[in-house]
Amino acid sequence: MRKNTMLIHRGQYHDGTGSVSVPIYHSSTYKLKNLDTEPRYEYSRTGNPTREALEVMMAELEEGSRGFAFSSGMAAISSVFMIFKAGDHILVTKDVYGGTYRALKEVFEGFNLQVTYVDCTNLKEVEEAIQTNTRGIYIESPTNPLLKIVDLKKISLLAKENNLITIIDNTFMTPYLQKPLTLGMDIVIHSATKYIGGHSDVLGGIVIVKDETLSNRVYTVQKSIGAVLSPHDCWLLLRGLKTLGVRMDRQQENTEKLAQWLLTRQEVKRVHYPGFKDHPGHQICLDQAAGFGAVICFDLHQESLAYSMISKLKYITLGASLGGVESLISIPAKMSHSFMPPEEKQAVGITDGLIRLSVGIEDIEDLKEDLIASWQ
Ligand SMILES: *Cc1c(COP(=O)(O)O)cnc(C)c1O
């Protein structure tokens, strides 16, 4: 089965009614036959048919053994960090999503989960940061917001040699474009709030695990901590998944055109886009993914123009998310990465005027006109 057909026909839950859309099971608890038979469903924190339909679907799309749906991307990410123990050490990619950085700094370091931030595009730096108590590597590729590309096969190999669990936040790519478990990674995470949902109307997080034993560790956290996704929100994600392919294709097409066009504009100083041949991760991205995604970042010559333009845009919306059908713009230094100390932002290259654009499915000429008018 090919990938667009999969999005429509895989992971369907059949309850015998013939319903084409997966039913929303709002039941919190289930009638048990007796105390001796293991029930399929018992209580919705530990299992719910609508959630299961989404979890099975995501596991099939990512080619993992099992999927888990959480109440947000951060709930998914935090639940994965909870498979580690106090005193464990993990390596985390330097320009990690701002919320992940905050969770590690403000919450997990308090439970003595030790973290070293490394540039995962530099394998030597990663290798040298491994300690005797290192248990995992946490990466993103492309990274947020600078769209650096990590070689997933190489990082997985290095991790295997050192017995480390590899975790990737695959939000920017989705399984439509990149399947990290097939490249050797152990755990994939999504903020389903972004492309999986695709319509900026639901928060959700997904974890997919390659191997059965590791799945059990994640399941233990999911049912113990209970940050599960509600049945209705699971259904919204199932609905979003059906159009993931067409949305991604169109968003990528617009992104490519917009990136090329930005290069020709005198206002623009620099454009970060892995689709450019001279992007350092271009070839790796070609080898490990089916596209370059639909997010770009750029700097203007005049930093102040970045601040004046955002309030003048008509169609492109200033907002803290990405991956929806509508184009969204943000200033990472002031928004998603505001928690990061200035020195660290500077070290990874997040300038104060850096603009992140999540490109939607609008007519490209309208997006261009909107940008031009905002620079006047
Ligand atoms: C948005 C986002 C998250 C957090 O997800 P929420 O659903 O907002 O909790 C994590 N990682 C990346 C890359 C994101 O873009």
Side-chain angles (χ1 to χ4, degrees), residues 51-67:
R51 193 171 85 228
E52 191 177 293
L54 172 66
E55 293 176 335
V56 168
M57 177 78 171
M58 286 303 299
E60 291 189 0
L61 293 175
E62 288 282 9
E63 300 189 33
S65 70
R66 210 165 155 188

Side-chain angles (χ1 to χ4, degrees), residues 9-112:
H9 294 287
R10 273 290 170 87
Q12 296 298 309
Y13 178 88
H14 296 291
D15 68 349
T17 61
S19 125
V20 169
S21 169
V22 175
I24 304 173
Y25 287 90
H26 265 302
S27 196
S28 60
T29 193
Y30 303 83
K31 181 178 174 178
L32 307 176
K33 286 202 177 67
N34 51 53
L35 292 180
D36 305 321
T37 337
E38 181 82 24
R40 172 126 191 240
Y41 304 104
E42 156 190 43
Y43 186 65
S44 272
R45 172 157 37 74
T46 56
N48 170 284
T50 315
R51 193 171 85 228
E52 191 177 293
L54 172 66
E55 293 176 335
V56 168
M57 177 78 171
M58 286 303 299
E60 291 189 0
L61 293 175
E62 288 282 9
E63 300 189 33
S65 70
R66 210 165 155 188
F68 303 91
F70 293 91
S71 51
S72 69
M74 284 319 305
I77 291 166
S78 302
S79 297
V80 168
F81 287 144
M82 284 185 224
I83 68 172
F84 297 105
K85 294 193 309 287
D88 284 352
H89 172 248
I90 58 172
L91 303 176
V92 175
T93 185
K94 250 178 199 161
D95 52 344
V96 69
Y97 174 72
T100 306
Y101 179 83
R102 176 173 52 198
L104 287 167
K105 274 260 179 279
E106 308 268 312
V107 181
F108 289 98
E109 287 186 21
F111 290 104
N112 196 23

Side-chain angles (χ1 to χ4, degrees), residues 30-274:
Y30 303 83
K31 181 178 174 178
L32 307 176
K33 286 202 177 67
N34 51 53
L35 292 180
D36 305 321
T37 337
E38 181 82 24
R40 172 126 191 240
Y41 304 104
E42 156 190 43
Y43 186 65
S44 272
R45 172 157 37 74
T46 56
N48 170 284
T50 315
R51 193 171 85 228
E52 191 177 293
L54 172 66
E55 293 176 335
V56 168
M57 177 78 171
M58 286 303 299
E60 291 189 0
L61 293 175
E62 288 282 9
E63 300 189 33
S65 70
R66 210 165 155 188
F68 303 91
F70 293 91
S71 51
S72 69
M74 284 319 305
I77 291 166
S78 302
S79 297
V80 168
F81 287 144
M82 284 185 224
I83 68 172
F84 297 105
K85 294 193 309 287
D88 284 352
H89 172 248
I90 58 172
L91 303 176
V92 175
T93 185
K94 250 178 199 161
D95 52 344
V96 69
Y97 174 72
T100 306
Y101 179 83
R102 176 173 52 198
L104 287 167
K105 274 260 179 279
E106 308 268 312
V107 181
F108 289 98
E109 287 186 21
F111 290 104
N112 196 23
L113 179 63
Q114 298 165 18
V115 185
T116 302
Y117 296 90
V118 285
D119 176 357
C120 288
T121 61
N122 181 346
L123 285 178
K124 194 156 175 284
E125 184 179 329
V126 176
E127 192 164 10
E128 282 169 5
I130 298 173
Q131 309 172 2
T132 50
N133 61 338
T134 309
R135 299 285 174 261
I137 303 188
Y138 183 99
I139 66 168
E140 292 174 19
S141 184
T143 60
N144 179 21
L146 287 166
L147 309 169
K148 291 185 194 148
I149 304 293
V150 178
D151 189 321
L152 301 185
K153 274 191 186 151
K154 285 195 179 147
I155 211 109
S156 305
L157 273 177
L158 176 66
K160 292 267 159 3
E161 282 164 14
N162 292 279
N163 243 331
L164 312 180
I165 297 171
T166 40
I167 305 157
I168 178 169
D169 180 336
N170 201 26
T171 300
F172 274 43
M173 283 305 209
T174 81
Y176 187 70
L177 297 179
Q178 178 169 280
K179 296 192 195 181
L181 301 183
T182 66
L183 300 166
M185 306 285 300
D186 298 310
I187 299 180
V188 166
I189 305 178
H190 290 279
S191 166
T193 312
K194 315 297 166 53
Y195 293 102
I196 306 286
H199 296 75
S200 306
D201 55 10
V202 58
L203 276 180
I206 309 280
V207 174
I208 307 99
V209 186
K210 176 91 181 171
D211 127 319
E212 202 79 46
T213 320
L214 203 50
S215 289
N216 293 336
R217 277 166 75 180
V218 175
Y219 182 54
T220 301
V221 177
Q222 188 194 37
K223 68 180 177 189
S224 308
I225 302 299
V228 292
L229 192 61
S230 81
H232 189 263
D233 291 345
C234 290
W235 180 84
L236 280 170
L237 294 183
L238 282 165
R239 187 169 71 160
L241 275 170
K242 290 184 195 283
T243 56
L244 177 65
V246 285
R247 284 187 281 110
M248 269 314 216
D249 287 349
R250 174 61 175 266
Q251 284 176 267
Q252 286 203 106
E253 188 189 318
N254 274 353
T255 306
E256 161 103 58
K257 286 183 186 154
L258 212 55
Q260 296 288 0
W261 175 80
L262 283 169
L263 280 185
T264 68
R265 296 294 306 186
Q266 57 173 27
E267 297 88 347
V268 177
K269 183 169 161 195
R270 176 151 188 216
V271 185
H272 301 263
Y273 174 54

Side-chain angles (χ1 to χ4, degrees), residues 333-347:
K334 302 283 172 209
M335 298 165 67
S336 56
H337 290 67
S338 59
F339 245 84
M340 217 178 242
E343 326 76 73
E344 279 184 50
K345 273 190 276 211
Q346 208 183 1

